[in-house]
Amino acid sequence: MSGSARADMTSRLRSTLTGHEHGIWSLATAVVDGRPVAVTGSHDETVRIWDLSDGRPVGGPLAGHNGLICNGEVWSLATAMVDGRSAAISGGGSNLIQMWDLATGRHVGEPLDQSIGRTCAVATTVLDRRPVVVTGHADGAVRVWDLATELD
């Protein structure tokens, strides 16, 4: 890479967010109360929310992926609007699929089914006008979950 190309990349870097104790495996973005945020999942078994305007963490680390069968690394994250709230859905090595209210940093409902194995991928969409999360698992299955029922 030429010196000018490297300088161009460096000039584009706006900020570096640090705070996880280990590597970041997953990342998603959302808007919470009108501010853009990044949501990160890590090898340190936590989810963090970052205000992208100032680069600061929003609250402390969100814990809840402590390993049940294996480690609780957070491998996958997605964001969605659920019942008018910005939410993050996280999964990984702990066999837990958690939903978090991004405004409060609290769990929303109970974790989705814990017996299905490790969650390697998470995505969200709307199906029949209802928010759903689609999860990909180490057992080769793709599962579709109705998020609105988690709030009932």
Side-chain angles (χ1 to χ4, degrees), residues 22 25 38 46 54 66 69-70 78 82 87 92-93 97-98 106-107 110 114 117-118 124 134 148-149 152:
H22 298 287
W25 301 140
T46 66
D54 63 17
N66 306 41
I69 295 173
C70 67
V82 180
I97 302 167
Q98 301 278 12
R106 295 189 179 138
H107 284 114
E110 293 296 316
Q114 301 174 31
R118 300 174 192 170
T124 59
V134 182
T149 61
D152 297 338

Side-chain angles (χ1 to χ4, degrees), residues 20 38 40 69 88 127 136 147:
H20 278 289
T40 54
I69 295 173
L127 180 64
L147 292 180

Side-chain angles (χ1 to χ4, degrees), residues 86-144:
S86 292
I89 299 85
S90 58
S94 70
N95 296 346
L96 297 174
I97 302 167
Q98 301 278 12
M99 186 160 53
W100 309 89
D101 182 321
L102 291 177
T104 66
R106 295 189 179 138
H107 284 114
V108 176
E110 293 296 316
L112 300 180
D113 190 349
Q114 301 174 31
S115 64
I116 55 176
R118 300 174 192 170
T119 305
C120 302
V122 175
T124 59
T125 192
V126 175
L127 180 64
D128 298 326
R129 295 188 302 226
R130 295 175 67 91
V132 297
V133 63
V134 182
T135 56
H137 299 270
D139 66 1
V142 173
R143 293 176 174 88
V144 180

Side-chain angles (χ1 to χ4, degrees), residues 2 6 30 50 69 79 91 95 104 107 123 146:
S2 73
R6 183 167 299 167
W50 307 89
I69 295 173
T79 58
N95 296 346
T104 66
H107 284 114
D146 188 331

